[in-house]
Amino acid sequence: MTRLVLDQLTLWITAAAHEHGLDLASHVEERTGASRRAALAALKRLVDAQWLVRSGTSRRPVYSPGALRQVVRSFTLHQLQEDVAWQRDFAPHFEFPKHVQRMVQHAFTELVNNAIDHSGGTSVTVSLRQTPRHAQLLVSDDGCGVFEKICGTYELTDAQHAMLELSKGRLTTQPQAHTGRGLFFSSQLADVFDIHANGKAFQRRAWEGNAWQPGRGLPRQGSSIYMAVALDTSRTLEQVLGQWSIDGSGITFDQTRVLLQLVVGPGQMLDSRAQARRVATRLPQFKRVEIDFTGVEDVGHAFADELFRVFARAHQEVDLVPLNMAPRVAALVQAVRSA
C-alpha cells in the first residue's frame, strides 16, 4: 500500500488544488497510487495544516489552496523561457500583496534567466513557497557555480573576491547581453538572501544593512539562490531601484557601496596597495561610491593612499564617500586626501 508523506505532497498539492479542486481525492489517488481512504486522510491532514481549504458538502467537497502554498518545478535549461515558466507554472497559484508579487516576479525571472544564460548547466529546479508571513524563492541549477564563473571571467582567486565584485553590482560574465543588475537587485529586494555555490556561501540580511557574511555552503555542484520577502514589507521594486540611482529615478545604476569586510578575512588588515586596487576594480562604472568601513578598526597608510589619493585623483568623476570609519581611520583618510 502506498504511504503518503505530507512533505512530498506539499510540493505539488497547491497547483493540484487549483486544477482539480472538485475531484482532488481522485487526483491524489491517480497520481500516487494510494487508496481512496489514504487520499482522504492525507487531504484532511493538509486541511488541518493549512495547506488546503475545504468547502462544499461532505459528499461533494471542494478544495482550494490554503494559507501555506508551494510549487516546485524542474526544467531543462535548453530553450527555457523564464517568463513563460512564471506565468504558466507559478503566478496563478499564489496570492501575494501586489507590491510583493512584483518583487517576487522580478527576482524569479532574473534568477532563472541567470541559470539559463550563465550557469553552463543542463537543468534548474525552482521552488516558490508562501507562508502567512513570507514569500520564499529557491532557484538551484547544476552548472559550474556562480563564484567559479566570476573567478574564471575576471581572473580572481577565491569566492570571497567574487562576492566582493557581486556586492558592487553591474557585474556580468556576458557584458554584450547583460548589464549585471539581476542578482544585485534581487538581493536588495529580499529580507533574507543566500548564495550557495559548490560548497561556498554568503548571506545577506536586510536588518543588517548591506552586509554580506560568509555562510555554511551546501555540498552540491552548481548554484542555489534563496530569498525570502516579508508579506508586510513596505519595500517596493521602484524604491529599491531608486536607492542606487543618484537622482532617485531607478533608471540609471550609478551609485554603489563597497563593503570592505569582504576584502580580507577575520583578523586580517587592509594594509596594501593591492587590496586598495581590488576595492577600486570597476568603480569608474559608477558616479558615486560609498566605501563602508563597518567592522574595520584600522587600515594601513598604503591602502588609504592608493584608494583615496591615487585612485581618487585619477578618477575625479567618481565621488568616493567613506562611511562608518573609526576615528583613527578617519584621520588617516583625511591626511592622504590632503597630501
Side-chain angles (χ1 to χ4, degrees):
M1 180 179 295
T2 301
R3 180 173 180 269
L4 297 180
V5 179
L6 206 64
D7 288 346
Q8 295 177 357
L9 289 174
T10 59
L11 301 180
W12 52 266
I13 200 66
T14 297
H18 260 132
E19 297 161 4
H20 302 276
L22 298 176
D23 62 341
L24 189 56
S26 297
H27 178 71
V28 172
E29 285 183 77
E30 181 180 349
R31 181 162 178 168
T32 65
S35 67
R36 183 73 172 187
R37 181 176 180 180
L40 289 172
L43 293 181
K44 183 180 185 305
R45 291 169 62 201
L46 289 167
V47 170
D48 292 342
Q50 299 186 57
W51 284 96
L52 294 172
V53 172
R54 175 175 168 158
S55 58
T57 67
S58 58
R59 287 182 172 272
R60 292 182 176 273
V62 178
Y63 292 94
S64 56
L68 294 173
R69 305 181 183 201
Q70 185 171 21
V71 174
V72 180
R73 293 283 189 273
S74 293
F75 304 97
T76 299
L77 287 173
H78 180 61
Q79 296 186 335
L80 175 63
Q81 299 178 61
E82 67 273 10
D83 64 319
V84 174
W86 168 256
Q87 294 169 7
R88 179 191 63 202
D89 300 315
F90 289 87
H93 306 304
F94 296 91
E95 293 182 356
F96 300 126
K98 185 176 180 180
H99 69 296
V100 174
Q101 174 98 355
R102 182 72 184 91
M103 292 193 291
V104 172
Q105 178 180 350
H106 182 87
F108 180 102
T109 54
E110 291 287 356
L111 296 179
V112 174
N113 181 260
N114 278 351
I116 295 168
D117 288 352
H118 300 297
S119 73
T122 61
S123 66
V124 63
T125 298
V126 185
S127 168
L128 182 58
R129 182 180 177 119
Q130 179 176 344
T131 75
R133 297 183 62 184
H134 292 95
Q136 301 170 341
L137 175 65
L138 176 64
V139 179
S140 298
D141 65 61
D142 61 354
C144 64
V146 60
F147 302 130
E148 282 74 6
K149 182 80 170 183
I150 294 169
C151 286
T153 302
Y154 290 92
E155 298 182 350
L156 303 177
T157 58
D158 58 38
Q160 184 163 313
H161 293 162
M163 189 64 244
L164 172 66
E165 292 306 312
L166 274 174
S167 73
K168 297 174 185 177
R170 295 185 66 169
L171 180 79
T172 178
T173 58
Q174 294 183 5
Q176 71 281 6
H178 294 271
T179 59
R181 298 168 64 101
L183 187 60
F184 178 87
F185 282 113
S186 295
S187 72
Q188 300 299 312
L189 293 172
D191 293 287
V192 173
F193 198 87
D194 294 350
I195 303 176
H196 294 263
N198 299 350
K200 303 289 185 179
F202 289 88
Q203 59 188 34
R204 178 186 177 277
R205 305 293 182 258
W207 55 88
E208 297 173 352
N210 287 302
W212 284 94
Q213 302 292 342
R216 180 177 296 179
L218 298 173
R220 62 174 298 273
Q221 173 69 33
S223 301
S224 293
I225 313 296
Y226 170 81
M227 66 177 289
V229 180
L231 299 186
D232 64 355
T233 183
S234 60
R235 192 181 306 114
T236 67
L237 176 61
E238 291 73 21
Q239 178 191 58
V240 170
L241 295 177
Q243 289 173 349
W244 302 96
S245 293
I246 291 176
D247 63 5
S249 69
I251 297 173
T252 57
F253 182 8
D254 54 5
Q255 68 176 353
T256 190
R257 178 177 293 187
V258 179
L259 311 170
L260 294 184
Q261 282 185 317
L262 287 171
V263 182
V264 295
Q268 300 178 23
M269 184 175 175
L270 293 169
D271 203 30
S272 73
R273 293 186 184 274
Q275 291 170 327
R277 287 191 287 270
R278 188 172 300 128
V279 170
T281 299
R282 300 188 308 106
L283 294 192
Q285 297 181 26
F286 302 92
K287 294 180 180 179
R288 184 177 188 273
V289 178
E290 296 175 346
I291 307 296
D292 193 340
F293 284 84
T294 298
V296 177
E297 296 300 323
D298 198 5
V299 300
H301 182 275
F303 175 88
D305 184 69
E306 183 70 25
L307 184 59
F308 290 101
R309 186 182 67 85
V310 177
F311 174 83
R313 291 186 180 180
H315 299 279
Q316 296 184 31
E317 74 281 5
V318 180
D319 182 18
L320 291 183
V321 182
L323 300 175
N324 303 317
M325 294 183 290
R328 176 180 171 80
V329 174
L332 181 58
V333 169
Q334 179 60 38
V336 300
R337 281 181 153 179
S338 301

